[in-house]
Amino acid sequence: MSEPPAPATYLLITGASSGIGREMAVSLSGQYRLILSGRDPGRLQQTRQACQAPDRHLCWARDLADVTTLAQALPAFLRENDARVTGFVHGAALLKVLPLRSIAIGHALDVMNTNVMAALEITRLLLRKDVNSKMLRSVVFVSSIASRFGAKGFSAYCASKAALDGLMKALAVELAPEVRVNSVLPGSVRTPMTEAMFDDPANAERLMRDYPLGVGLPSDIADAVAFLMSDQARWITGHQMVVDGGRSVNISA
């Protein structure tokens, strides 16, 4: 009697419905089967159709701010599709620029849940033998240089990204040598989420002045993630890879 076929293996990308997440999905779709996660099912399907060999990839529509539902939803999805995850890229992020006095606690919790707690919970679930057969090998969190620098109106976002990098460092130690865990820290990248920042001509001019190599593109971040996920980065873990066009070292800005 022949043995049943082994489950198919996938790379899970959250935040895949637009911006950097969509760029990562398209870029990596020729190398991996993908599980594309995002809040909007229609936009996820658009991402899927933009990928190479769309039929190889799966869509998992979830609002990651509702982090308490993941413990049931993710294992059920993997069972339903007979899928296992070898790589996880947390690209989902919630950003709304608000002064501290205008932030409601509910909004701050949504930011922390989407940007940090979902990353923790998904990684935790993927480590479980009964969920993912201990097949996870590499994790990349898409953080931000906002984890290192302050900015007006970014209190919840900065806090969430600093927490995400702290989580990455702890997991890199805890999960080695079986799983590598790294983060990518983008500077300002033109995406639908950040487009409003460029609508103000004065702000756009300042951003261009602050970045020696100019403002980034989603493909710049996708290329960094692809490297960290690959075997070329086999001896890299616990690393914060800054991809910011020189912003961090431009002390004159």
Side-chain angles (χ1 to χ4, degrees):
M1 181 181 294
S2 61
E3 295 184 1
T9 58
Y10 291 83
L11 172 65
L12 169 60
I13 301 177
T14 64
S17 57
S18 65
I20 293 172
R22 176 172 288 178
E23 185 71 29
M24 289 190 297
V26 173
S27 175
L28 294 167
S29 62
Q31 185 177 357
Y32 302 93
R33 294 185 185 91
L34 304 177
I35 297 174
L36 307 171
S37 179
R39 285 178 292 181
D40 188 314
R43 285 160 58 188
L44 278 181
Q45 287 295 336
Q46 291 173 3
T47 299
R48 181 171 173 265
Q49 291 303 315
C51 289
Q52 297 184 44
D55 291 345
R56 287 174 15 115
H57 313 303
L58 305 174
C59 291
W60 182 47
R62 300 297 304 176
D63 181 358
L64 297 183
D66 190 7
V67 71
T68 60
T69 65
L70 294 176
Q72 289 76 42
L74 180 56
F77 178 85
L78 296 179
R79 284 195 303 270
E80 179 183 349
N81 292 280
D82 196 21
R84 300 293 183 270
V85 175
T86 56
F88 169 39
V89 180
H90 186 62
L94 186 59
L95 168 63
K96 189 173 184 180
V97 180
L98 288 169
L100 182 59
R101 63 180 177 272
S102 299
I103 294 178
I105 191 64
H107 168 72
L109 289 172
D110 283 348
V111 171
M112 295 301 292
N113 282 342
T114 301
N115 297 5
V116 186
M117 298 308 297
L120 184 153
E121 178 69 343
I122 290 173
T123 304
R124 184 185 73 84
L125 292 167
L126 294 177
L127 292 171
R128 283 175 44 182
K129 183 177 181 180
D130 62 332
V131 172
N132 197 44
S133 304
K134 293 189 174 181
M135 296 189 71
L136 186 66
R137 292 294 176 265
S138 184
V139 175
V140 175
F141 297 150
V142 180
S143 181
S144 169
I145 60 170
S147 72
R148 296 183 170 188
F149 304 102
K152 292 180 179 179
F154 281 72
S155 56
Y157 186 76
C158 286
S160 72
K161 293 301 187 178
L164 186 63
D165 283 335
L167 174 64
M168 178 276 292
K169 292 176 184 179
L171 292 180
V173 175
E174 181 176 339
L175 303 184
E178 289 82 8
V179 184
R180 296 186 301 107
V181 188
N182 295 285
S183 59
V184 173
L185 281 60
S188 286
V189 176
R190 295 197 74 130
T191 70
M193 187 174 70
T194 63
E195 196 61 40
M197 297 169 59
F198 297 93
D199 289 342
D200 180 352
N203 191 48
E205 182 180 354
R206 179 187 61 78
L207 286 170
M208 294 303 295
R209 184 178 65 249
D210 290 351
Y211 286 79
L213 298 183
V215 173
L217 299 174
S219 59
D220 297 317
I221 312 308
D223 289 343
V225 170
F227 168 70
L228 288 174
M229 293 300 302
S230 74
D231 290 340
Q232 291 176 300
R234 68 163 199 90
W235 208 45
I236 300 175
T237 196
H239 180 61
Q240 295 170 283
M241 179 179 285
V242 176
V243 186
D244 70 351
R247 175 64 182 91
S248 297
V249 294
N250 187 11
I251 59 175
S252 63

